[in-house]
Amino acid sequence: MSAVDTTAPVAAQASGSSFYTAMRLLPRAQRDAMFEVYAFCRAVDDIADEGGARDERHRGLADWRADIDALYQGRVAPRTRGLKIIADQFGLAQDDFVAIIDGMEMDAAADIQAPDEATLDLYCDRVASAVGRLSVRIFGLPREPGIRLSHHLGRALQFTNILRDIDEDAEMNRLYLPRELLDAAGIRSSDPASVAADPRLGVVCAPLLARARDHFTAAEAIMAGQPRAATKAPRIMAAVYRIILDKLEARGFSPPRPRARVPKLRLIMTVARHGLF
């Protein structure tokens, strides 16, 4: 029996994404485990974004926190049966599941607007690098390089998302660009719509874009020293997001800002290069 009973609907939700493309190349047990992690992340993210009033979102995330705690104490709720299987199979840490919920709490508690650098780094660790720490266990990477890879690739991907999604986030009254970079560009406002329309936005984004590149470079150096079979999926994700980052830099940040996308043919070529050889 598959470790994941919900692979088909979860795969349908992820279909078309670079995540889906990368995970489809994994062996069955790893693929099913990653889709189970995806389903968990999707569930708590939906609560943080669309879970009703803030107290309702808090209760929804608290319920997940209780279920994760119960799972690691041997009391498995129906919705965590798949997580229990893969947690035992791959040695997944409770702290990483909890960190993801903590990251969603940051979105649920209030609309994030121009966080300071320390808060942004904590957010990235929770919503991105914690997912990476679960993933590298599933991929079979050794602990120490896996943690370092999760740190760098998680932040590289999250910074790219932040730069790509400025307009979408503003529509949700959110702004993830750090206060220090806004201040350095002379932007005092924390209002997402105002910042998105500010002609100095490119000045704010340039340092974050450079940081993303540095994190990609560090992640790629770590992966180069590990077996290719264990780094197939993260190499694909890094390569695809590198393309998105390049497109963002070439496009710039002056409006209008069409969404940066990876053409299908280039995605196929990227997957073939990093996933098949």
Side-chain angles (χ1 to χ4, degrees):
M1 178 179 136
S2 167
V4 182
D5 295 330
T6 56
T7 298
V10 172
Q13 290 176 342
S15 180
S17 67
S18 55
F19 170 88
Y20 175 81
T21 303
M23 299 312 136
R24 289 295 296 173
L25 296 176
L26 293 172
R28 176 69 181 272
Q30 292 179 335
R31 181 175 72 242
D32 286 356
M34 285 304 302
F35 280 128
E36 186 72 15
V37 170
Y38 176 91
F40 164 75
C41 293
R42 180 70 178 262
V44 293
D45 185 61
D46 285 349
I47 292 171
D49 287 350
E50 304 167 5
R54 295 204 184 276
D55 59 344
E56 295 174 0
R57 300 183 203 183
H58 176 74
R59 284 195 295 271
L61 293 172
D63 288 345
W64 264 108
R65 193 185 303 276
D67 281 350
I68 294 295
D69 184 62
L71 182 157
Y72 280 88
Q73 294 183 34
R75 304 189 310 275
V76 183
R79 67 179 176 179
T80 61
R81 286 173 184 161
L83 291 179
K84 172 63 173 173
I85 293 170
I86 67 169
D88 290 346
Q89 183 177 7
F90 294 102
L92 306 183
Q94 178 179 359
D95 286 349
D96 293 325
F97 287 110
V98 172
I100 295 167
I101 297 172
D102 288 342
M104 300 308 163
E105 284 275 15
M106 294 174 74
D107 276 323
D111 292 326
I112 295 180
Q113 295 181 352
D116 60 40
E117 294 274 14
T119 301
L120 177 63
D121 189 67
L122 178 62
Y123 179 80
C124 290
D125 188 77
R126 288 172 168 176
V127 304
S129 292
V131 180
R133 290 191 291 271
L134 293 173
S135 302
V136 294
R137 293 292 299 174
I138 294 169
F139 300 151
L141 279 162
R143 184 177 185 279
E144 191 275 335
I147 289 174
R148 289 191 291 114
L149 177 59
S150 301
H151 172 89
H152 288 294
L153 188 55
R155 282 157 175 80
L157 300 180
Q158 193 62 28
F159 288 162
T160 303
N161 282 336
I162 288 170
L163 293 166
R164 181 192 62 191
D165 296 340
I166 290 170
D167 294 308
E168 291 84 348
D169 289 335
E171 291 175 2
M172 299 178 67
N173 202 35
R174 293 174 180 173
L175 175 66
Y176 294 95
L177 299 174
R179 179 74 265 160
E180 291 88 339
L181 294 185
L182 292 166
D183 286 343
I187 301 175
R188 305 306 173 199
S189 175
S190 295
D191 174 69
S194 297
V195 173
D198 196 293
R200 296 166 290 186
L201 181 63
V203 177
V204 179
C205 294
L208 204 60
L209 193 148
R211 288 183 209 174
R213 291 200 181 283
D214 288 344
H215 282 298
F216 276 125
T217 299
E220 287 156 1
I222 294 166
M223 290 188 286
Q226 300 301 313
R228 286 187 66 83
T231 58
K232 180 184 297 186
R235 277 188 283 110
I236 293 171
M237 293 293 293
V240 170
Y241 268 71
R242 276 269 203 181
I243 295 169
I244 293 172
L245 197 68
D246 289 342
K247 286 181 169 292
L248 290 171
E249 184 173 35
R251 183 206 66 186
F253 293 92
S254 300
R257 289 181 286 265
R259 188 174 179 82
R261 301 181 185 278
V262 180
K264 188 171 183 178
L265 178 59
R266 190 165 184 190
L267 177 61
I268 292 171
M269 293 172 63
T270 300
V271 170
R273 176 184 175 190
H274 295 280
L276 302 179
F277 304 105

